[in-house]
Amino acid sequence: MLHSETERKVYEEILLQLHDIVQQNNLRPGDKLPSERDLSETLNAGRSSVREALRALELLGLIETRRGEGTFLKHYRHNRLIDILGMFVLRDVKTKKDLVEMRKILEIDAVRLACKRATSKHFEEMERILAHAEERIANGEVPTEEDYQFHRVICRSSRNSVLHRIWAPLVEYSESVRNESLSREGRARTAVDEHRGIMEAIRSGDEQSAVEKMLRHLDNSKL
């Protein structure tokens, strides 16, 4: 589809700018994107380049074209919007740093609340997730999904729905980064051990220990 480094950079830049347009205009699934001509003028890019980027997004299931109506956003839960755009947006060092910082803020508060509010059901779920992670590591796989699910249970055990709703898209957005971190030699094994330590600290209601263990875990993750 793309035949040179220059074309690839133009293509990536268009994807980033399309993402900005969606954000700035607060577009939601089902909303209509600007026309190809308008995008070409807004992005100061050739129509062929814009068309190529839109075609790629459509093939990936991120947008849909309706004949005679235009191009519309599709719901991200039914595709890989977050992962795909994340690969581009997270190349920006400042954005990556801000995401890590925000994740720490949310997860530390989640841990504090979990020490007071987590129930036996939450701990049973954590145990199941850790067991699945162990199995995947034994099979030579990277337990990226189990890592996500473990942290998700902690956020849910805070029993603060707003905190969880903010946390979920933030961490989903950085999946490619988490996978890279867990793929480091020995990191998956160590991460599971750290998860278990966090769980036990929460179970005992030791807020200070739970916070310290979570901070150490996030620092070691090198997200």
Side-chain angles (χ1 to χ4, degrees):
M1 184 180 292
L2 301 175
H3 306 291
S4 72
E5 182 70 15
T6 299
E7 286 177 308
R8 187 178 67 80
K9 288 180 178 178
V10 170
Y11 170 79
E12 291 179 1
E13 184 61 29
I14 289 173
L15 286 175
L16 283 172
Q17 292 185 60
L18 282 171
H19 175 261
D20 289 341
I21 288 173
V22 170
Q23 294 293 97
Q24 291 166 8
N25 293 289
N26 198 31
L27 298 180
R28 293 289 181 265
D31 287 347
K32 185 177 181 180
L33 286 174
S35 68
E36 183 183 294
R37 179 179 178 180
D38 289 341
L39 285 173
S40 178
E41 293 177 356
T42 301
L43 304 178
N44 193 29
R47 292 187 65 172
S48 61
S49 297
V50 171
R51 190 178 304 118
E52 200 73 29
L54 291 175
R55 185 180 303 140
L57 293 176
E58 185 167 21
L59 287 172
L60 291 166
L62 307 180
I63 60 175
E64 63 176 333
T65 300
R66 302 173 192 167
R67 183 170 297 180
E69 296 183 50
T71 303
F72 299 81
L73 284 180
K74 294 182 72 173
H75 200 295
Y76 79 85
R77 290 186 183 277
H78 299 302
N79 54 51
R80 306 294 289 172
L81 173 62
I82 286 176
D83 295 338
I84 293 164
L85 290 180
M87 289 190 295
F88 298 102
V89 176
L90 289 175
R91 290 181 179 180
D92 180 79
V93 175
K94 179 63 166 59
T95 300
K96 181 178 175 181
K97 182 179 178 182
D98 288 348
L99 282 171
V100 172
E101 189 174 80
M102 191 61 193
R103 178 179 177 181
K104 280 187 177 181
I105 291 170
L106 292 173
E107 295 214 18
I108 293 308
D109 281 342
V111 161
R112 289 195 175 103
L113 293 172
C115 286
K116 301 178 179 68
R117 301 175 180 177
T119 66
S120 59
K121 288 185 178 181
H122 293 125
F123 294 118
E124 288 172 6
E125 190 171 356
M126 288 183 206
E127 293 280 12
R128 284 197 298 273
I129 292 167
L130 291 177
H132 290 158
E134 296 274 11
E135 291 177 8
R136 295 200 64 186
I137 292 172
N139 292 329
E141 301 171 341
V142 180
T144 306
E145 178 62 20
E146 287 74 16
D147 178 84
Y148 167 76
Q149 292 297 336
F150 181 83
H151 287 269
R152 180 170 177 264
V153 174
I154 291 178
C155 285
R156 283 176 46 228
S157 69
S158 73
R159 290 193 267 180
N160 184 310
S161 61
V162 175
L163 186 153
H164 179 253
R165 287 176 186 174
I166 295 173
W167 175 89
L170 179 87
V171 177
E172 288 172 7
Y173 202 67
S174 58
E175 180 177 351
S176 60
V177 181
R178 288 186 293 111
N179 187 66
E180 181 181 344
S181 173
L182 287 168
S183 296
R184 287 178 291 141
E185 181 67 32
R187 178 56 197 158
R189 172 72 269 166
T190 303
V192 170
D193 292 339
E194 290 171 352
H195 282 168
R196 193 170 295 282
I198 294 167
M199 177 184 69
E200 294 304 337
I202 294 173
R203 198 199 304 267
S204 65
D206 189 338
E207 183 178 316
Q208 181 177 342
S209 176
V211 168
E212 289 175 355
K213 290 176 184 296
M214 177 60 83
L215 278 173
R216 192 176 305 117
H217 170 66
L218 293 175
D219 286 339
N220 290 341
S221 295
K222 295 184 178 179
L223 297 175

